[in-house]
Amino acid sequence: MASGVKIADDVPETFEMLKQQKLKNIRYVVMEIKEKKRIVVEKTVEKRVAEDGSDQREFEIDAFRKEMNAIAERKECRFVVYDFPTVTGTATNDKLLFISWCPDSSTISNKMIYNASKAALKDKIKITHEVQANDMSDLTVEMFQSKLA
């Protein structure tokens, strides 16, 4: 189902820069549908450092979850491309993960327009790994790791 929502030029440009690691200090990109007409980059979020010695991935996911919870409280949805650090043995590799955040608390019209626009966006930015997140239990290190395995 096509939504008729257009994709702003900055969306694929920002994704490509993240993919090519030209945005080395960016952890994730949040995109929103403005006025039910176009998908735009809402903001980029820099990598954060866990200074208390806690697990870096958990530390960043916790901050991300707080941000997504605030969006859920406003009954809104978002698309996110998350540069997730995967750990294999002693090596850490960053992999891009597409997250469609349509919380259960969101309005039906918001869920419909985001779900109808998702395929076009994924096709435009050419990303394969995806999480369909509807509640906070979908936004965990374990969930992200499983989608990238």
Side-chain angles (χ1 to χ4, degrees), residues 2-17:
S3 66
V5 172
K6 306 242 185 274
I7 300 169
D9 292 340
D10 66 334
V11 170
E13 290 168 5
T14 303
F15 174 77
E16 198 57 37
M17 288 174 60

Side-chain angles (χ1 to χ4, degrees), residues 6 29 76 105 114:
K6 306 242 185 274
V29 178
E76 296 176 358
S105 62
Y114 272 81

Side-chain angles (χ1 to χ4, degrees), residues 58-72:
E58 289 288 350
F59 175 77
E60 288 186 308
I61 290 288
D62 285 346
F64 174 68
R65 286 169 52 97
K66 287 176 186 166
E67 183 171 349
M68 294 300 106
N69 191 51
I71 290 168

Side-chain angles (χ1 to χ4, degrees), residues 77-94:
C77 302
R78 290 295 186 273
F79 296 122
V80 178
V81 174
Y82 199 105
D83 191 11
F84 185 74
T86 59
V87 179
T88 311
T90 59
T92 301
N93 241 351
D94 287 356

Side-chain angles (χ1 to χ4, degrees), residues 97 122 129 148:
L97 180 65
K122 282 180 58 185
H129 303 292
L148 294 167

Side-chain angles (χ1 to χ4, degrees), residues 14 16 26 45 47 67 76 81 84 100 102 107 126 128 145:
T14 303
E16 198 57 37
I26 299 300
V45 177
K47 295 176 181 175
E67 183 171 349
E76 296 176 358
V81 174
F84 185 74
S100 177
C102 288
T107 64
K126 307 216 182 325
T128 55
Q145 189 78 35

Side-chain angles (χ1 to χ4, degrees), residues 3 34 44 98 145:
S3 66
K34 281 282 205 190
T44 57
F98 180 82
Q145 189 78 35

